[in-house]
Amino acid sequence: IIFNKLEEILKRMPPSPHNDDVEPLAPYDPVDSNVTEQQQQQQQQQRQQESGTTYFQTLLLLVKGYVGPGCLSLPWAFSQVGITLGCVVVLFFMAWTSYNCWIVLQIKRQHPSEVNTYPDAGTWAYGPRFGAFVSICICVLQLAICTVYFSFIGENLLAVAAGPMSHNGHALVMTLALPAILALSCLASITKMAPFSAAGTLLLAITFALLGTVMVGEFEDRPSQPLTSIQSLSNLPLAFCAILYSYEGICLILPVEAAMRNRKSFGSVFGVSMTVVAITFCAVASFSVWVFGDVTNGSITAYLLEEKEDHRNLLVFANTAASISVLLTYPLQLFPSLELLGPILLSRKEKKRKQRRAAGTNTEEENKEDAEEQNTILQQTDEQERQPNDNDDDYAVQAQEEDDDGLFLDHHTNNDDNGGIPGDSPLLRLVLVLFTYTLALLVPNVQVLISLAGALAGSSTALLIPPLLELQYTKRHQGRRRVWSYASFLLGFVFMCIGTIS
């Protein structure tokens, strides 16, 4: 509410009378016969550039989208496979998933009129049914990630307040965090999420700094023999799945690229972000295992808080910062599911509505909505007939305000006229948040959730679907790329089966 009021106040402030170089705001003319279709497209692109994310904001979104609870679970995975093999697997998955992301992005760029989302690429390649399958896989992955976020918050904050919340602590902590997550999930767009993502990145950096301070204090007491070899063959698939889950931001690539102000620079920012992510993963996991030895908890901060009482104050701050960082990133991980489910629900609603209208069985509420639509059309027609003069500053300010999105989602958002998601609504977001909250209550073990999400949902979206898309993309070209596509698909399928069964 405060942000929206400040926006209204700033928009109504008159220009400075001492600045003669600034031209007055031109009156808004909804109907201009001199504006061609090409000029309208240029104006739309200009609005996109003005409202999109910058290079640095995009970098923060990508880094924070990848570096989450999965990063803090990597010390456990490295404890199972050893430091050397762990770093090799991290770099291998980084190259593999990044290549697959780039395939989907290239298909979108080559067919911009047909492909806007990940499921659109599936529809373009193999038809609507495959596109629906891709949508299901993405929704499962993103909701699994959001479920892990809930469980991670409960696990870490419970370690901080283990005394007063020892009996029903996990469920109670998640319940206390639920209102904040609901509020953040109502942010209108990715652009509005950027400041919160930046704050989450800062808090995660503070967490790493505090972990580094604890490492320095415990360096003299480190194990004499670092864990450089495989410790448990039975846990090897689970460790690999946990590492794959760490690359949890694959479904964010297309939305983040679409929200970028200068999309031509996305290749550069993507390469930089993935390099930063891989270095962060290897550094956090390797140094943790080197200094602390065998890590037995899916969260390194929660493990240290239980085992290292000498540094309790620092670890309390680290756990709290990590939990708030994950909380601020929750809406970013929820966004791909909204992009996919919103249009589907809107389409089904409109289909049923047309069927009732044809049968003459519309409900009173639907008749009221039809009347409101007709009134809206009449109002728009009156506005088009209105010809503002040069002094109509109030009308120009009002038109400019209508073009700007508020901070939070409006209750009537059903279309994308103002940059929203078709079919999106606070009710849909509420249902998805409560669904992930319920799953986190049913499966409170964050370590099991991370491995299962990486094996089942992560493998499908990150390892199996992109090679199939590449096969269709390179259909006319025989050579190594097709051989690699087949090999990549088979390897991903084997990985999914072994990891899910484990």
Side-chain angles (χ1 to χ4, degrees), residues 477-484:
H477 304 280
Q478 302 292 333
R480 295 180 179 177
R481 289 189 65 181
R482 292 184 63 82
V483 173
W484 162 251

Side-chain angles (χ1 to χ4, degrees), residues 59-269:
L59 178 64
L60 290 178
L61 286 171
L62 289 174
V63 171
K64 191 62 196 74
Y66 276 90
V67 180
C71 177
L72 298 177
S73 70
L74 285 178
W76 172 84
F78 274 46
S79 296
Q80 310 304 315
V81 303
I83 295 176
T84 304
L85 182 58
C87 291
V88 172
V89 174
V90 166
L91 296 177
F92 174 73
F93 277 135
M94 185 270 288
W96 193 1
T97 57
S98 299
Y99 178 77
N100 289 342
C101 288
W102 198 250
I103 290 172
V104 180
L105 185 60
Q106 288 303 309
I107 293 176
K108 176 188 175 183
R109 290 181 172 180
Q110 292 293 330
H111 305 274
S113 60
E114 303 177 57
V115 179
N116 291 315
T117 63
Y118 199 172
D120 288 343
T123 302
W124 167 83
Y126 299 104
R129 291 187 177 181
F130 190 78
F133 171 74
V134 176
S135 298
I136 293 173
C137 291
I138 293 176
C139 287
V140 170
L141 174 62
Q142 295 304 127
L143 293 178
I145 292 174
C146 293
T147 303
V148 170
Y149 276 27
F150 256 118
S151 186
F152 181 88
I153 293 172
E155 184 86 12
N156 278 263
L157 293 184
L158 178 61
V160 173
M165 298 183 180
S166 57
H167 298 291
N168 300 316
H170 194 269
L172 180 59
V173 170
M174 290 192 298
T175 304
L176 293 176
L178 181 60
I181 292 178
L182 285 172
L184 290 170
S185 298
C186 289
L187 292 172
S189 64
I190 286 185
T191 305
K192 304 298 182 183
M193 297 176 192
F196 296 93
S197 180
T201 305
L202 177 61
L203 288 173
L204 195 62
I206 293 175
T207 301
F208 291 151
L210 294 174
L211 282 177
T213 304
V214 176
M215 288 179 187
V216 172
E218 294 289 326
F219 188 77
E220 297 296 332
D221 299 328
R222 70 186 184 279
S224 57
Q225 295 294 332
L227 299 176
T228 57
S229 59
I230 298 175
Q231 302 299 312
S232 174
L233 290 175
S234 60
N235 288 333
L236 198 63
L238 293 177
F240 282 0
C241 292
I243 295 175
L244 175 61
Y245 173 84
S246 299
Y247 290 96
E248 60 199 41
I250 183 172
C251 297
L252 300 174
I253 299 300
L254 294 186
V256 172
E257 188 265 348
M260 190 175 181
R261 184 175 301 175
N262 183 13
R263 298 179 185 177
K264 294 181 180 180
S265 302
F266 185 77
S268 171
V269 69

Side-chain angles (χ1 to χ4, degrees), residues 432-448:
L432 292 180
V433 172
L434 293 179
F435 176 73
T436 57
Y437 165 76
T438 304
L439 287 181
L441 288 178
L442 296 176
V443 189
N445 192 327
V446 64
Q447 178 179 316
V448 173

